[in-house]
Amino acid sequence: MALLTDNFGRQITYLRLAVTDRCNLRCQYCMPARGIDIVDRKELLTYKEMYRITRVLSELGVNKIRLTGGEPFVRKNFVDFLEMLSFNDKLDEINITTNGALISKHIATLEKLKINTVNLSIDSLSKEKFAEITRRDVFDEVYKTLELLEKSSLTLKLNIVVQSGINTDEIIDFVNFTKNRDIAVRFIEEMPFNGVGQRKTTTVWDYTKILDLIQSNYSEIKPLSSEKSSTSRNFKVAGYRGSFGIIPAFTRTICGDCNRIRITATGLFKNCLFDEGVFNIRDFIRKGASDDDLKKLFLSIVKEKPENGFVAEANRKKNNNISESMSTIGG
Ligand code: SAM
Ligand code: SF4
C-alpha cells in the first residue's frame, strides 16, 4: 500500500477535519464579536465528500481523525456523520474538539460509537470570566458537559488557551483540577489566528513561562512519556490522578515529529497550521476526480509539507499576517 510520506521522511497518519466554519460562541482569541465572514453553505464540503476524502486518506495510511471546526456540533446531522465514519475500520481513532455547549444530550451516543477522545475547550473555571472570553453565557452547560464526560467511558482532555492578562491566574487552579480527576488539562499558547486581530497577541505566555510557573508551585513534577507525534509535552504533579500538558502551538518546537494534515470546511488541504493552504479538494472532487486521482493528488501534495511552521509561515504569499480565524482553519 502506498503511504503518505513527506520529503523529510515523516509519515502522515492523522487528519484534522473541520466540519464547519460556524460557531455558537465568539471566543475573543478566535473570532471577532460581530461580522465574521462565514461561507455560503454550498461551499462547505458535504458529509458525503468528507466521508470520501477520509476513506481515501485511510487507504493511504491515515488511521486517526479529529473532527473540529468552527463548532462541529453546530452542523446539522454531525452525529450521523460520526456514525458513518465509525464504520471505517481503517480508522483506529476518532476524536472530537468541541466547546461542549451543545453536546450533553449526545454523550451516550458518542460512547456507543466508541469515539476515543473528546477535547473540551474551557478557558476559565469562573462563570463570569468564561462569559467574557466566549462572549456567551454558556458556562453552566459546558461545565455540565465536563462532568458528564468525566463520568463517561470517553477520554477527556481540557483545552485551555493561555491568554495573557485574562486567565493566567487560573493556570494553577487548572493543574489542581487534576488532583482527584482522571483528566488531562492542556495549556495552549495563544496564536494570532483570531479572525482579524481582535486581540493583540504577545507571546509572553509561552511554553517555558507556563512550565516555570507550574514548577515553582509544586515540589515534584514528573514528565510523562507521550507518543512521538504528540502536540503536547505532558507532566503530572506527583501523587495527582490526572495530568497536564503544554502545547507549544506558537513557538513550534514540535514540528519535527509532525504527522498531521488539515482539511478546512471548504475543502482546502493544509500541510501545516501555518501554511495558507495547498489545494482545494472540494473543487477537484466536484470536477469529477476519481479515487485514484485523489490518491495521486494526496501522495504528491504531502511532499510539499514544509519542514516546520516557521518555513510554512515564511512561504505564505497571499496573507502574510496569520490572522485568519482558527474556526476557518480547523483548530
Ligand atoms: N469550537 C471548538 C472548540 O472551541 O473546541 C473546535 C474548534 S476550535 C478552533 C479548536 C481549538 O482551537 C480550541 O481548543 C480553541 O481554544 C483553539 N484556538 C482557537 N483560536 C486559537 C488561538 N488564536 N490560539 C490558540 N488556540 C486557539
Ligand atoms: Fe468557536 Fe471554538 Fe473559536 Fe471559540 S475557539 S469561537 S468555540 S470555534
Side-chain angles (χ1 to χ4, degrees):
M1 173 171 93
L3 294 174
L4 295 168
T5 312
D6 76 2
N7 279 339
F8 301 92
R10 295 172 297 194
Q11 201 197 322
I12 308 304
T13 55
Y14 185 8
L15 167 67
R16 292 194 185 210
L17 177 64
V19 299
T20 179
D21 62 340
R22 277 113 165 124
C23 189
N24 49 333
L25 308 189
R26 288 290 179 273
C27 302
Q28 302 217 13
Y29 51 78
C30 180
M31 284 190 180
R34 262 168 248 103
I36 179 108
D37 292 334
I38 52 164
V39 301
D40 200 87
R41 246 169 243 286
K42 57 182 185 301
E43 289 186 40
L44 297 175
L45 287 170
T46 63
Y47 284 131
K48 210 168 160 186
E49 286 165 341
M50 287 190 254
Y51 183 79
R52 181 162 175 229
I53 290 169
T54 309
R55 177 176 50 72
V56 170
L57 284 170
S58 72
E59 285 162 12
L60 298 171
V62 167
N63 56 16
K64 186 168 160 182
I65 179 167
R66 170 167 303 283
L67 285 321
T68 178
E71 171 51 39
F73 286 88
V74 161
R75 185 144 181 194
K76 209 169 145 206
N77 301 329
F78 174 62
V79 177
D80 297 333
F81 177 58
L82 287 175
E83 186 171 2
M84 271 165 86
L85 280 182
S86 71
F87 290 126
N88 182 339
D89 61 358
K90 289 194 161 64
L91 291 179
D92 298 331
E93 273 190 43
I94 303 176
N95 301 323
I96 305 171
T97 301
T98 172
N99 63 39
L102 301 169
I103 80 164
S104 55
K105 63 175 185 291
H106 296 301
I107 292 174
T109 314
L110 301 184
E111 286 184 279
K112 228 171 30 212
L113 293 176
K114 301 212 177 346
I115 299 302
N116 298 80
T117 303
V118 175
N119 286 14
L120 179 71
S121 301
I122 179 164
D123 298 319
S124 175
L125 294 170
S126 139
K127 185 175 158 79
E128 291 71 34
K129 203 187 291 176
F130 185 89
E132 189 191 323
I133 295 171
T134 60
R135 302 190 181 103
R136 296 290 185 271
D137 182 17
V138 291
F139 178 80
D140 292 341
E141 182 58 25
V142 173
Y143 199 81
K144 177 175 146 195
T145 299
L146 189 162
E147 289 183 316
L148 289 172
L149 285 168
E150 200 190 334
K151 286 192 206 117
S152 76
S153 58
L154 304 160
T155 301
L156 174 60
K157 295 183 181 176
L158 303 185
N159 280 4
I160 299 122
V161 178
V162 177
Q163 299 150 66
S164 180
I166 308 250
N167 65 353
T168 48
D169 57 337
E170 289 191 67
I171 292 176
I172 300 304
D173 296 343
F174 273 112
V175 176
N176 287 339
F177 203 71
T178 67
K179 186 168 183 182
N180 299 311
R181 294 178 173 87
D182 186 14
I183 287 182
V185 304
R186 293 128 42 89
F187 300 104
I188 308 176
E189 289 176 347
E190 183 176 359
M191 297 178 285
F193 296 112
N194 51 21
V196 210
Q198 293 299 294
R199 267 175 59 73
K200 290 272 166 285
T201 319
T202 56
T203 51
V204 181
W205 278 89
D206 63 6
Y207 175 95
T208 309
K209 189 165 164 103
I210 299 167
L211 186 58
D212 283 353
L213 171 78
I214 297 172
Q215 269 170 335
S216 66
N217 272 269
Y218 300 93
S219 51
E220 198 186 350
I221 302 286
K222 296 180 173 173
L224 299 176
S225 57
S226 1
E227 260 179 64
K228 209 167 134 230
S229 57
S230 169
T231 46
S232 59
R233 299 278 172 260
N234 302 309
F235 306 86
K236 205 178 181 63
V237 177
Y240 280 25
R241 204 166 151 221
S243 64
F244 72 91
I246 308 175
I247 304 184
F250 196 61
T251 49
R252 292 165 253 185
T253 48
I254 45 176
C255 303
D257 295 317
C258 183
N259 63 348
R260 288 172 290 283
I261 49 173
R262 287 183 148 78
I263 296 178
T264 71
T266 55
L268 191 63
F269 182 100
K270 284 169 75 78
N271 269 317
C272 172
L273 177 61
F274 291 87
D275 74 27
E276 57 189 345
V278 188
F279 193 88
N280 195 300
I281 303 161
R282 177 201 61 202
D283 297 345
F284 193 55
I285 289 180
R286 291 185 189 173
K287 278 182 195 144
S290 68
D291 283 4
D292 262 0
D293 295 335
L294 278 170
K295 279 188 186 162
K296 277 191 207 120
L297 173 81
F298 289 135
L299 287 165
S300 92
I301 53 182
V302 297
K303 297 285 179 212
E304 291 171 37
K305 189 172 168 71
E307 185 172 7
N308 57 50
F310 294 103
V311 174
E313 191 177 346
N315 286 346
R316 292 170 73 97
K317 293 183 190 87
K318 282 177 275 165
N319 300 310
N320 267 327
N321 58 333
I322 43 176
S323 65
E324 69 261 47
S325 165
M326 279 292 273
S327 62
T328 10
I329 303 172

